[in-house]
């Protein structure tokens, strides 16, 4: 299952910083890896069902450090 986060605010940190923050904020037991990192887009690949992956990314993106980013 792939989930993509996109930058909605040009003032938000770039993709590289966001990818690291996302991976840090996701639960450790959630198998995930970054498969593509661009300045305005980060694609993550999960080894779990879609609902669990979307929920985890949604919680991570709610962190103030990721303000300006959203799930696509």
């Amino acid at each position: 299952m792939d989930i993509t986060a996109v930058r909605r605010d040009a003032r938000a940190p770039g993709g590289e910083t966001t990818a690291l923050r996302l991976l840090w904020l996701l639960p450790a037991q959630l198998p995930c890896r970054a498969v593509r990192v661009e300045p305005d887009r980060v694609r993550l690949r999960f080894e779990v069902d879609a609902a669990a992956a979307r929920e985890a990314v949604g919680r991570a993106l709610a962190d103030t450090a990721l303000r300006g980013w959203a799930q696509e």
Side-chain angles (χ1 to χ4, degrees):
M1 167 75 214
D2 286 3
I3 294 183
T4 302
V6 294
R7 184 163 47 172
R8 301 282 188 216
D9 184 343
R11 297 170 295 175
E16 296 84 3
T17 300
T18 298
L20 291 173
R21 287 178 176 165
L22 273 171
L23 292 170
W24 177 260
L25 290 167
L26 291 170
Q29 69 274 15
L30 192 69
C32 170
R33 64 186 173 98
V35 291
R36 187 167 187 134
V37 178
E38 300 172 7
D40 296 325
R41 182 179 298 271
V42 174
R43 185 172 48 173
L44 302 174
R45 180 159 295 152
F46 292 85
E47 305 295 325
V48 297
D49 66 73
R54 282 192 193 96
E55 181 180 334
V57 171
R59 281 194 311 269
L61 288 171
D63 189 275
T64 58
L66 295 172
R67 188 172 291 143
W69 284 82
Q71 283 190 58
E72 186 173 59

